[in-house]
Amino acid sequence: EIAQNLTFPEIVTQFNRDKLQETVTNGYNTYPGAKSIKRKSDGKIISLKIINDYQIQIGDVVNRHLQDNDVVLFNRQPSLHKMSMMAHFVKVLPCKTFRLNVSVTTPYNADFDGDEMNMHVPQSLQTAVELKELALVQTQIITPAQHKPIIALVQDSIIGAFLFTKYDNYLTKEEVSNLLISIPSVKH
C-alpha cells in the first residue's frame, strides 16, 4: 500500500517507454502502476484515477508507483547528525512496516521501542543520483565524529558468523546447495 501511494516521476524515453506504458495501463490501483502523467506537450497533469487508456509520448513524465531498487531517504527525528538521514534501496514487501537491517540502526539511534521513521522519495533523477552518491548507507559506515565504524554486524549476525565458521562445523551437500542458491549471481 505504501509503494502504491508514493510515486517517482520518471521521464519517458525510447528505452523505457514500453515499461512505463505498462505501468500506465495498470493504472492507479494496480501495482506496479502509476498515479498520474504530466504531458510534455502542454504541461497538463492527467490523473490515472479517471483515465486508464492514455498512450504516453516521449518526454511525458509518469508518476509511477515506488518499485524495487528505487532509492529513498530515511530520517529519524531528531536529526542530530548527518547519519540520521541515510539513503536506502527499496525492496517492496507486504504489510505497512518499514524494515531495516539491524546493522544500520545504530546511526539512527533506533532502539526498537516504537521509534518513528520518515521516508522521503526523491522527486527528480538528479536528487536520486545525489542520494546514491552522498547519503547511501555504504558511504556512512565511518562516523565523522570519532573516525570509527558506526555500521557493523550486531547480535544474530555475529553469532551466526561464529557458528557458521566454527572448526568442527560441517555442512551436507544439500545445505551448501541451499546456501549457494540464495546468492543472486549463482542463480544465473
Side-chain angles (χ1 to χ4, degrees), residues 36-77:
S36 64
I37 299 162
K38 183 177 180 182
R39 289 196 306 215
K40 180 184 180 187
S41 59
D42 58 5
K44 184 178 179 183
I45 296 177
I46 299 165
S47 173
L48 294 176
K49 205 172 199 179
I50 300 165
I51 299 172
N52 60 358
D53 60 348
Y54 183 79
Q55 294 299 312
I56 58 175
Q57 304 298 319
I58 292 177
D60 289 348
V61 177
V62 176
N63 291 306
R64 63 166 175 77
H65 295 156
L66 207 56
Q67 297 175 357
D68 287 351
N69 297 316
D70 283 341
V71 68
V72 294
L73 186 70
F74 263 87
N75 168 240
R76 179 170 183 268
Q77 300 291 343

Side-chain angles (χ1 to χ4, degrees), residues 6-20:
L6 299 173
T7 62
F8 179 77
E10 192 165 344
I11 299 169
V12 179
T13 67
Q14 64 183 7
F15 304 108
N16 65 4
R17 184 176 181 183
D18 293 339
K19 181 186 82 158
L20 288 177

